[in-house]
Amino acid sequence: MIFYPNCKINIGLDVLGRRADGYHDIVTLMIPVAGLCDILEIVPAAESRFTQSGIDAGAPEQNLCVRAYNLMRERFGIPAAAIHLHKIIPPAAGLGGGSSDAAFTIRGLDKIFSLDLSVEEMERLAAELGSDVPFFIRNTPQLAVGRGEILTPFDPQLAGKKVVIIVPSVRVSTAEAYAGVAVREPAAPLAERLASGVGAWRNNGVENAFEPSIFARYPLLARIKESLYAAGALYASMSGSGSAVYGIFESGVNAAVCGAGEAEVFTCEF
């Protein structure tokens, strides 16, 4: 069977404090984005194997698809499977591509081997693989708190809007982003700020807490954000810990005017 793991963007991202377990408490709205997807094939096989193509996604043994399969085999004794991942979503860009691949592997193995797991069971498995992985089990807009794994449905009223995602050659690691972030308690909860609607987010404190330090280190990202607003974006932001920067538009936009430097540009829908 073939699956299409999609990316996500973060709208608003508050970093509230460091936890005893070494992670940070965050609040963010995660939105699935159609049109920028990897391609994942899973089929029963005589022996397990994993292959990959497309963008270099690193060592196969560290791939989250492999980790997801190994977890499912350990818990449920599933048979061997051949997994091929064609990587399209740029890595280390804050778009959640690896997390999406892992979640779709869990969902795919559940379907192929008729495990009949509940959504909640799959989310618990996904949480063992990474903080963003549970989001892609339901794959609907969710307000995420805790490490990002505690999810509540939230409708940001973006139906019909377009999103332009710009991914420069710069790559930002999650560790680098957290090392420079300023922990702070916002004046109002993120859900309250989001309720004002996309047209008001820019002036209503819907911000990504990673931007100040990351933009200071990589000014290109700040220029990309401003280019999106100059092109008519209703709202623009860095996604997650970067380096992807996106703009939300009322309708179609000439994506060529939104680039800055060497960058990939993707025009997608919600």
Side-chain angles (χ1 to χ4, degrees):
M1 298 184 72
I2 295 178
F3 306 91
Y4 297 92
N6 55 273
C7 74
K8 59 82 179 169
I9 58 171
N10 297 77
I11 299 179
L13 200 161
D14 300 331
V15 180
L16 306 179
R18 192 173 182 87
R19 299 151 49 114
D21 60 9
Y23 290 94
H24 286 76
D25 278 315
I26 68 166
V27 181
T28 186
L29 177 62
M30 294 198 287
I31 307 288
V33 176
L36 179 51
C37 306
D38 292 337
I39 305 172
L40 177 67
E41 182 181 42
I42 307 174
V43 295
E47 60 181 29
S48 295
R49 64 182 183 274
F50 173 78
T51 55
Q52 57 188 4
S53 57
I55 297 173
D56 182 9
E61 61 271 14
Q62 296 176 353
N63 192 280
L64 280 168
C65 294
V66 175
R67 291 177 56 195
Y69 170 78
N70 289 338
L71 178 62
M72 298 283 278
R73 180 183 61 184
E74 175 187 321
R75 297 292 168 84
F76 307 108
I78 60 174
I83 300 174
H84 181 80
L85 174 66
H86 183 71
K87 193 71 183 160
I88 298 171
I89 301 171
L95 297 174
S99 296
S100 184
D101 296 336
F104 274 75
T105 300
I106 291 173
R107 292 168 54 181
L109 292 169
D110 173 69
K111 185 172 185 178
I112 290 167
F113 295 117
S114 301
L115 300 177
D116 295 323
L117 299 175
S118 68
V119 169
E120 292 76 15
E121 287 174 308
M122 287 190 283
E123 286 178 335
R124 286 193 289 271
L125 288 164
E128 297 186 40
L129 298 171
S131 299
D132 288 350
V133 183
F135 164 76
F136 290 101
I137 297 295
R138 296 180 192 264
N139 208 26
T140 58
Q142 303 276 333
L143 198 67
V145 303
R147 292 186 293 114
E149 84 287 9
I150 303 171
L151 303 168
T152 304
F154 188 98
D155 183 2
Q157 303 292 320
L158 293 176
K161 302 291 192 296
K162 309 295 183 184
V163 58
V164 173
I165 301 172
I166 300 179
V167 185
S169 56
V170 171
R171 290 292 180 265
V172 181
S173 72
T174 302
E176 178 183 12
Y178 274 104
V181 74
V183 173
R184 64 181 178 86
E185 189 71 31
L190 179 59
E192 183 178 317
R193 285 171 277 150
L194 289 167
S196 60
V198 60
W201 290 346
R202 181 180 185 181
N203 299 313
N204 200 32
V206 178
E207 302 169 342
N208 184 329
F210 292 119
E211 284 188 2
S213 62
I214 296 300
F215 282 8
R217 178 168 289 192
Y218 304 107
L220 170 62
L221 304 186
R223 293 198 298 272
I224 291 173
K225 180 177 177 178
E226 288 308 310
S227 76
L228 288 161
Y229 276 128
L234 301 171
Y235 178 75
S237 176
M238 188 173 73
S239 183
S241 56
S243 60
V245 181
Y246 66 85
I248 298 172
F249 292 83
E250 191 65 56
S251 58
V253 63
N254 180 5
V257 306
C258 300
E262 294 294 326
E264 297 179 271
V265 181
F266 305 90
T267 301
C268 307
E269 298 181 352
F270 293 107

